[in-house]
Amino acid sequence: MNVRESAPAVLAASLLAACAQNPVNYPPRDFNQQVLTETCRQYITRASPPDYPKRAMQGDIGGYVVLRYSLDGSGKATNIRAIEGRPPGVFDAAAVEALKRTEFDPEAKMQDCFSTMDFTAISGR
């Protein structure tokens, strides 16, 4: 086998090895993400990014959380609930806290708002 023939095999083996070492932490969602993430975004006046959990950072773990909440005209999100997260439970508290700090138009009143917060692992190794 010459170099030209072996290059695809080496590339495929490298990709498989990388996937085995760093499994995908969040599989495709079974809902329409575009609809859910854009539900009440237009009312945000000041977004607050989430704090990356130390354990997840140390473990080089990434994922996402889908939040459901309401806007009651106070400028803050209310009735915040994490309805889905990958990996389960790892980023829920950080996402909820970030949404609590986010400021919204004080006149906005909405039910059933959805937001997806992604947590991207950046390997320091």
Side-chain angles (χ1 to χ4, degrees):
M1 185 181 290
N2 65 33
V3 174
R4 189 173 272 174
E5 292 172 341
S6 65
V10 171
L11 178 61
S14 298
L15 289 173
L16 287 173
C19 289
Q21 292 173 355
N22 298 312
V24 174
N25 289 318
Y26 42 100
R29 303 163 178 98
D30 28 335
F31 55 80
N32 183 341
Q33 179 184 351
Q34 186 65 26
V35 172
L36 294 183
T37 56
E38 298 302 322
T39 304
C40 296
R41 182 178 300 240
Q42 69 270 25
Y43 299 113
I44 295 174
T45 59
R46 190 181 70 77
S48 179
D51 296 325
Y52 213 97
K54 277 187 181 179
R55 277 189 6 198
M57 188 176 293
Q58 291 168 345
D60 199 31
I61 298 170
Y64 71 90
V65 176
V66 178
L67 300 167
R68 183 178 189 169
Y69 60 98
S70 300
L71 300 175
D72 65 0
S74 69
K76 296 287 184 184
T78 60
N79 303 319
I80 304 169
R81 292 182 319 207
I83 60 171
E84 180 179 347
R86 293 289 186 272
V90 174
F91 299 105
D92 295 12
V96 168
E97 287 304 312
L99 193 58
K100 284 180 181 178
R101 293 188 308 262
T102 297
E103 295 176 12
F104 294 86
D105 180 339
E107 295 181 18
K109 292 184 181 183
M110 299 288 293
Q111 299 292 318
D112 294 325
C113 295
F114 293 90
S115 179
T116 300
M117 289 193 190
D118 288 311
F119 293 80
T120 304
I122 300 174
S123 179
R125 296 177 235 164

